[in-house]
């Protein structure tokens, strides 16, 4: 499809959908559509000639439209009561300032209802405009999260994308056409996120989340906790599996957030790692939902929270993972990579990662083979400058082997059984690995 111009809706909170667009923006949308239809096949501006696909007719041209929704503002409004108007003005002033700073000649933006803006990047094609939109959204978030009350509320920007036919903008009500396109995009994303019946059944069987106490061998404490959930859907097709993985991951993140909020209420915080799958970062809406959930973690706890993402076959730093890293920077949440024990070559570069981990849970492998692989994995991790973590260790030999291989963080049944909730950190020494032997000896005496 041809494309010229890019419109972005930035919604700042709950909306009734009745906001009216200004005449200037409506005229600009119509004018961009008119130019695109008249000379879209030959016009060099706006990336059209550079991105035009062969055989696409000018009448098939579209204006890509992206909706950005500010998440969490309603909660701020309810909590602040009389102080809300002052913060609302700060939010809108920040949005206007950032948008204006990124605009060039020909770009137009206008207020859209009580909670948003619609922006037209008149000379950009879809790819350039999408990148620019991400930059703007990230900058607005960074500015807003600098406000104490906004930070505490967990504000975030969620996105939806739509393609508006240029011909429809000229033939019908411009505002109605844009609004319907955005609504259709939102509905489509909800349908895409709906799980199959089999996936729903797996979710019901998945059960509650658990924490593995993690031994920090440098500090000699069970200080960290790794949250993980059961994933019984290996037999599903790829799409059903990805959908269910996301549903499990977002439920896990939200559950951990509740636990961390409970700790904060007691004046406590503990380092926590949350294990999720890479496919959960695949779409804008999924990334935004994860960010929204993470933003509700108390500010002090975010700095010691890590999201552990598995490394897929096509590599760790995919577009989805890079976009998530950009979105999560203002929150201060750390990122770790989980690599298969027998595929250490898939280990991503150390930059931007708190650690690289591997999980032995459920692997039907002889102990001697696992020890050899741990040694190779740990050596490569050290050579690349990574802190290493080994989980799912079921025997003393594996724990001691992992420590000898240079892994800083170790966890598994041989260290401590999984627990259902966060607990206070404990001092832990190598001799504690032999607690069962000590108990047997005490009984014998």
């Amino acid at each position: 499809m041809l494309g010229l111009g890019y419109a972005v809706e930035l919604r700042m909170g709950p909306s009734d959908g009745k906001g009216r667009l200004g005449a200037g923006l409506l005229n600009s949308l119509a004018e961009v559509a008119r130019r695109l239809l008249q000379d879209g096949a030959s016009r060099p501006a706006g990336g059209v000639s550079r991105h035009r696909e062969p055989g696409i007719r000018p009448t098939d041209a579209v204006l890509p439209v992206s909706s950005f929704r500010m998440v969490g503002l309603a909660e701020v409004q309810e909590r602040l009561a009389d102080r809300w108007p002052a913060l609302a003005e700060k939010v809108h002033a920040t949005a206007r300032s950032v948008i204006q700073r990124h605009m060039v000649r020909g770009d137009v933006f206008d207020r859209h209802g009580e909670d948003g803006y619609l922006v037209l990047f008149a000379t950009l094609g879809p790819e350039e405009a999408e990148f620019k939109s991400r930059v703007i959204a990230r900058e607005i978030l960074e500015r807003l999260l600098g406000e104490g009350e906004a930070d505490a509320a967990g504000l975030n920007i969620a996105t939806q994308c739509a393609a508006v036919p240029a011909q429809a903008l000229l033939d019908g009500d411009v505002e109605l056409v844009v609004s319907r396109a955005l609504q259709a995009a939102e509905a489509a994303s909800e349908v895409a996120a709906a799980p199959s019946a089999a996936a729903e059944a797996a979710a019901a069987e998945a059960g509650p989340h658990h924490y593995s106490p993690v031994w920090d061998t440098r500090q000699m404490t069970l200080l960290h906790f790794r949250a993980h959930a059961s994933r019984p859907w290996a037999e599903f097709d790829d799409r059903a599996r990805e959908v269910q993985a996301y549903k499990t991951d977002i439920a896990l993140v939200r559950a951990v957030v509740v636990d961390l909020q409970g700790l904060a209420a007691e004046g406590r915080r503990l380092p926590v790692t949350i294990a999720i799958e890479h496919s959960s970062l695949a779409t804008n809406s999924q990334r935004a939902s994860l960010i929204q959930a993470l933003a509700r973690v108390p500010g002090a706890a975010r700095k010691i929270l890590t999201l552990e993402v598995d490394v897929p076959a096509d590599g760790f730093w995919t577009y989805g993972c890079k976009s998530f890293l950009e979105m999560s920077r203002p929150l201060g949440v750390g990122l770790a990579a989980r690599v298969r024990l027998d595929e250490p070559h898939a280990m991503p570069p150390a930059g931007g990662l708190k650690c690289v981990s591997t999980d032995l849970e459920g692997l039907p492998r002889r102990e001697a083979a696992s020890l050899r692989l741990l040694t190779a994995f740990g050596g490569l991790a050290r050579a690349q400058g990574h802190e290493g973590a080994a989980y799912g260790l079921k025997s003393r030999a594996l724990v001691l082997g992992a420590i000898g291989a240079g892994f800083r963080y170790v966890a598994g049944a041989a260290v401590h059984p999984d627990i259902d909730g966060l607990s206070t950190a404990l001092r832990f020494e190598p001799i504690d690995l032999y607690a069962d032997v000590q108990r047997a000896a005490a009984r014998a005496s």
Side-chain angles (χ1 to χ4, degrees):
M1 289 185 179
L2 295 173
L4 175 60
Y6 198 90
V8 178
E9 182 196 20
L10 174 58
R11 293 197 309 176
M12 311 301 290
S15 173
D16 57 9
K18 297 179 181 178
R20 303 298 300 176
L21 296 177
L25 180 58
L26 292 176
N27 291 338
S28 296
L29 285 166
E31 176 58 28
V32 169
R34 187 176 296 110
R35 284 190 284 122
L36 181 58
L37 290 171
Q38 287 175 349
D39 55 7
S42 59
R43 182 178 176 83
V48 174
S49 62
R50 295 194 301 273
H51 300 287
R52 186 175 68 250
E53 296 179 22
I56 297 297
R57 300 169 298 172
T59 51
D60 294 330
V62 298
L63 274 71
V65 178
S66 181
S67 162
F68 285 71
R69 181 171 59 87
M70 182 64 74
V71 177
L73 215 58
E75 288 79 357
V76 185
Q77 181 175 358
E78 181 179 353
R79 183 169 61 82
L80 295 185
D82 294 341
R83 291 180 291 157
W84 162 246
L87 181 61
E89 180 53 38
K90 286 183 180 180
V91 170
H92 283 291
T94 297
R96 289 193 298 267
S97 172
V98 174
I99 292 170
Q100 287 174 330
R101 196 168 66 80
H102 286 274
M103 297 180 76
V104 298
R105 184 175 180 178
D107 293 349
V108 183
F109 84 99
D110 196 8
R111 184 78 171 260
H112 191 197
E114 295 298 320
D115 58 4
Y117 298 86
L118 196 67
V119 185
L120 173 66
F121 297 114
T123 60
L124 295 182
E127 292 181 1
E128 300 100 320
E130 183 180 356
F131 175 78
K132 191 170 187 177
S133 300
R134 292 201 311 271
V135 171
I136 291 175
R138 175 179 157 189
E139 187 171 333
I140 292 173
L141 257 184
E142 289 175 344
R143 294 272 298 276
L144 292 180
L145 292 177
E147 299 287 342
E149 290 177 322
D151 182 37
L155 295 179
N156 184 51
I157 299 177
T159 65
Q160 299 292 343
C161 297
V164 183
Q167 190 66 52
L169 289 172
L170 296 183
D171 293 344
D173 182 320
V174 175
E175 185 167 17
L176 182 61
V177 169
V178 172
S179 296
R180 285 179 174 173
L182 292 171
Q183 291 170 5
E186 186 170 357
S189 68
E190 291 175 355
V191 170
S196 64
E200 286 281 14
E205 297 172 0
H209 64 288
H210 300 283
Y211 292 96
S212 295
V214 179
W215 182 17
D216 183 336
T217 62
R218 186 175 301 169
Q219 298 186 22
M220 289 298 177
T221 58
L222 289 176
L223 178 67
H224 290 67
F225 294 85
R226 178 178 182 256
H228 56 94
S230 300
R231 301 175 181 275
W233 53 80
E235 72 278 8
F236 296 164
D237 60 44
D238 289 345
R239 177 56 184 158
R241 184 183 185 283
E242 289 180 2
V243 168
Q244 185 53 42
Y246 166 70
K247 285 180 65 67
T248 298
D249 288 341
I250 190 65
L252 175 63
V253 170
R254 288 168 177 164
V256 173
V257 169
V258 171
D259 291 344
L260 292 175
Q261 289 173 336
L263 277 182
E266 300 173 4
R268 300 166 55 208
R269 61 183 184 138
L270 291 168
V272 172
T273 293
I274 308 176
I276 70 169
E277 294 202 22
H278 199 284
S279 61
S280 293
L281 308 179
T283 69
N284 281 338
S285 60
Q286 290 175 354
R287 293 191 293 270
S289 294
L290 287 167
I291 291 292
Q292 177 188 358
L294 292 169
R296 295 183 180 278
V297 175
R302 285 190 218 134
K303 297 178 177 60
I304 51 176
L305 178 65
T306 302
L307 207 64
E308 175 195 297
V309 185
D310 71 324
V311 177
D314 54 351
F316 186 74
W317 291 114
T318 61
Y319 171 82
C321 194
K322 290 179 180 177
S323 296
F324 181 82
L325 181 62
E326 287 184 3
M327 296 169 69
S328 64
R329 283 190 199 280
L331 300 178
V333 174
L335 202 63
R338 184 172 67 254
V339 182
R340 285 175 56 93
L341 181 61
D342 56 355
E343 296 180 359
H345 59 275
M347 200 178 295
L353 296 175
K354 293 185 72 171
C355 75
V356 62
S357 67
T358 191
D359 190 355
L360 280 69
E361 189 67 40
L363 293 179
R365 185 180 289 122
R366 292 182 180 276
E367 190 173 83
S370 294
L371 286 169
R372 288 194 297 271
L373 291 171
L374 281 169
T375 299
F377 192 106
L380 184 57
R382 290 197 311 275
Q384 295 191 12
H386 285 293
E387 292 277 20
Y391 306 127
L393 305 177
K394 297 181 178 180
S395 71
R396 276 188 288 270
L398 289 175
V399 174
L400 295 173
I403 296 172
F407 288 87
R408 176 176 176 179
Y409 306 106
V410 293
V415 175
H416 195 289
D418 281 357
I419 57 177
D420 293 334
L422 297 173
S423 60
T424 304
L426 302 172
R427 188 76 183 168
F428 196 83
E429 302 285 353
I431 190 64
D432 295 324
L433 290 171
Y434 298 88
D436 58 335
V437 177
Q438 296 177 56
R439 287 193 296 269
R443 287 195 298 269
S445 62

